[in-house]
Amino acid sequence: MGKITAKDIAGAANVSLSTVDRVLNNRGGVTEAKERRVVEWARKLKIDRALNQRAARTLRIAVLLQRPENPFHAAVQTNFEAAMRDFPQFNFQFRIYHIEPAKPGATASLIRSLLKTCDGLVIVSAADESIAAALREFGRLGKPVITLVTDIAGSERFAYVGPDNVKAGRIAGDMMGRLLGKGGGDVLVVSGMLSMMGHEEREAGFRAVLNERYPDCRITDVLESLERAERAGDLVFSALKRNCAIRGIYNASAGASSVVNAVESLGRAGEIVFITHELTDDRRQLLRKGLIDVVIDQGPVFEVRTAIEALAAFFGRKEDPPASLMTPVQLHTIENC
């Protein structure tokens, strides 16, 4: 086969020569569908200048997450904002919208307000039928929806990007059983919101491992902090006052510092095994001080990158999708924090 020309691409993509010229030279004025076909065929036919070009049309991607008072969500927001600089070839504009986890109706209304103005959507949210219905409307317009970190049943999303939360919970359960030892003991579980599939799955995985291998470790309560850090500390303080036999705390969500403060205020520091998630700066410091025993981290930098690559593949701005949409988890202790 001879040298590939713009005419070959035009024929393969079923567009005009002028359309190919506009796309390959970033002149704009081309619909998203035609741009995607031209880039796809240019890559297939090995046109070098199409491989790393900056897409001509800016795509607006809405990112819905909690306010940055939650350290994990702050890290997600920071990484999406940095991505506009780090991945210029995709030409994505990420617009951050803050949602209240306990107000699903407001979140659903926000999603519907974005139907006409955004080309794609990434969301970290509790599972709720009103939210799922709004996401289905978004997807039926041919626009990709990515659920991040925690999935949303019935959303018909394009992709879920995040950890296997059941496995993450099982890891937490195994670490709790090993650290409490043969004597076992009472264990308190603090979830953010069990309506968040990720939190429900973590609790289920944690409970399953204790039942399977550590029968002397007994879950006394599963409490919901509603994703409020101070509430997590208050719940732990009250539980420890009621039950001095608690020897382990598994916090599956926000509020690690508040939990530590509650434990210390009752003089129980050093007596209780504390396991939580997300290696934020404050939790790293608590690990170093020996006030948290294990942090299970899912790497928001990697999760955001994976979501962006999945979007780029959907829009034809990246040749291959990510190798996996499931993101790995890592264990951190005082020795590797």
Side-chain angles (χ1 to χ4, degrees), residues 287 332-337:
L287 268 176
H332 295 269
T333 70
I334 193 171
E335 296 297 333
N336 68 335
C337 62

Side-chain angles (χ1 to χ4, degrees), residues 133-195:
L135 292 175
R136 290 196 296 270
E137 289 182 38
F138 202 94
R140 285 169 189 154
L141 296 176
K143 300 179 178 183
V145 170
I146 290 182
T147 52
L148 188 69
V149 181
T150 179
D151 209 353
I152 299 176
S155 62
E156 299 178 9
R157 56 7 178 215
F158 161 64
Y160 163 67
V161 173
D164 179 333
N165 283 299
V166 173
K167 182 179 290 184
R170 289 184 65 88
I171 292 170
D174 186 58
M175 294 304 301
M176 182 65 74
R178 290 174 184 273
L179 291 172
L180 287 181
K182 292 183 179 179
D186 289 355
V187 177
L188 175 67
V189 175
V190 181
S191 171
M193 296 177 69
L194 290 173
S195 58

Side-chain angles (χ1 to χ4, degrees), residues 4 72 95 117 140 153 160 187 201 267 271 318:
I4 300 298
F72 176 76
R95 297 180 173 182
T117 60
R140 285 169 189 154
Y160 163 67
V187 177
E201 290 166 347
E271 299 177 11
K318 184 178 184 296

Side-chain angles (χ1 to χ4, degrees), residues 4 60 64 77 137 145 152 169 216 220 256 258 269 285 295 303 313:
I4 300 298
R60 293 160 295 184
L64 278 59
Q77 176 172 332
E137 289 182 38
V145 170
I152 299 176
D216 292 328
T220 60
S258 297
Q285 294 301 317
V295 171
E303 287 174 329

